């Protein structure tokens, strides 16, 4: 068994989710939110919050789907109100929106609660004293959460913050959550090999020898 004290959820995220993907999601969710707000202009005040909320879902889902595809994170198809997910390393990645401070809203979705069950494997990283041991997970779940002002009169066009959040297995609490602008700094402190997935390839003629025994 692996000693949980030598690992952490942030380190696990950094190893499995490339910095470029996190940057792309941050930009994509803000772009989607801006498009949603622009599309809602002119609607009646009485139902404007509901219109904006619906349009955020569709525009932000599309933007999230695009960046997952660009970053080779294997996005699921877009289907109506369905949750779009991607895969990076051991993590299944998804997204949702909340009014700032209302994190309990994240567990309203039955699908998200089912997804969170995978995180039983990483709970020892937060509460090692409650478990017999820790094995590196083959599956885990993380969400990108866009937090919006509760009022359309205060920064309605974009999230007040976008956070990366890892729920417990019951989605009743959070094993880890952090604003993306802070989380991105973790890549600077991580070994460069964690963010470099390029596979070096030898040039075709390297290693071949000429007839006289010298290298080419």
């Amino acid at each position: 068994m692996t000693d949980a004290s030598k690992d952490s959820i942030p380190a696990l995220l950094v190893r499995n989710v490339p910095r470029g993907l996190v940057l792309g999601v941050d930009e994509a969710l803000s772009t989607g939110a801006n498009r949603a707000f622009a599309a809602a202009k002119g609607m009646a005040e009485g139902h404007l919050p509901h219109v904006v909320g619906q349009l955020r879902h569709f525009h932000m889902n599309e933007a999230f789907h695009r960046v997952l595809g660009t970053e080779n994170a294997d996005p699921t198809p877009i289907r109506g109100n369905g949750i779009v997910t991607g895969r990076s390393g051991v993590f299944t990645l998804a997204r949702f929106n909340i009014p700032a401070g209302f994190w309990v809203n994240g567990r309203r979705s039955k699908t998200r609660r089912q997804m969170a069950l995978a995180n039983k494997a990483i709970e020892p990283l937060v509460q090692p004293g409650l478990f017999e041991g820790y094995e590196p997970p083959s599956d885990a779940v993380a969400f990108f959460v866009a937090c919006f002002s509760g009022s359309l009169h205060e920064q309605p066009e974009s999230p007040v913050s976008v956070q990366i959040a890892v729920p417990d297995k019951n989605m009743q609490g959070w094993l880890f959550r952090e604003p993306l602008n802070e989380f991105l700094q973790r890549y600077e402190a991580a070994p460069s090999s964690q963010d470099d997935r390029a596979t070096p390839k030898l040039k075709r003629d390297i290693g071949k020898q000429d007839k006289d025994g010298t290298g080419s």
Side-chain angles (χ1 to χ4, degrees):
M1 291 186 179
T2 302
D3 185 355
S5 66
K6 295 180 180 180
D7 206 353
S8 69
I9 290 176
L12 196 64
L13 285 165
V14 168
R15 288 200 303 273
N16 285 273
V17 186
R19 181 176 181 272
L21 175 54
V22 178
L23 280 169
V25 170
D26 194 17
E27 181 178 355
L29 296 186
S30 293
T31 298
N34 273 274
R35 289 175 178 169
F37 184 70
K41 287 184 177 178
M43 301 298 291
E45 187 74 20
H47 64 195
L48 186 59
H50 302 283
V51 173
V52 171
Q54 284 289 316
L55 289 175
R56 280 174 180 165
H57 170 79
F58 295 121
H59 282 280
M60 293 173 76
N61 254 12
E62 288 192 0
F64 185 57
H65 185 274
R66 280 194 295 271
V67 75
L68 290 175
T70 299
E71 296 294 330
N72 300 312
D74 194 23
T76 55
I78 293 176
R79 289 198 179 97
N81 290 326
I83 293 175
V84 172
T85 68
R87 182 79 176 187
S88 184
V90 302
F91 279 96
T92 296
L93 305 172
R95 57 156 293 275
F96 62 89
N97 301 334
I98 60 168
F102 287 86
W103 283 83
V104 69
N105 285 10
R107 70 182 310 271
R108 288 182 177 178
S109 164
K110 181 179 179 180
T111 300
R112 286 197 291 264
R113 294 198 304 271
Q114 290 176 332
M115 291 171 62
L117 292 173
N119 285 350
K120 179 179 180 180
I122 58 174
E123 286 187 345
L125 294 177
V126 176
Q127 298 175 307
L130 301 180
F131 299 85
E132 293 181 358
Y134 165 71
E135 293 287 349
S138 58
D139 290 290
V141 172
F143 294 97
F144 292 98
V145 184
C147 306
F148 287 90
S149 168
S151 169
L152 288 182
H153 300 290
E154 183 180 344
Q155 195 176 329
E157 72 283 357
S158 61
V160 293
S161 74
V162 178
Q163 303 198 29
I164 189 166
V166 179
D168 65 24
K169 67 179 183 296
N170 297 315
M171 209 162 180
Q172 293 179 337
W174 299 92
L175 305 176
F176 173 78
R177 73 184 197 209
E178 191 167 73
L180 290 191
N181 59 345
E182 296 179 18
F183 180 73
L184 283 163
Q185 298 174 23
R186 295 180 181 274
Y187 291 93
E188 304 300 325
S192 59
S193 61
Q194 291 182 351
D195 198 34
D196 183 4
R197 297 188 174 187
T199 302
K201 295 182 179 179
L202 293 175
K203 292 183 179 179
R204 183 175 298 174
D205 294 331
I206 290 180
K208 290 184 178 180
Q209 291 186 330
D210 295 334
K211 291 181 180 179
D212 62 1
T214 60
S216 59

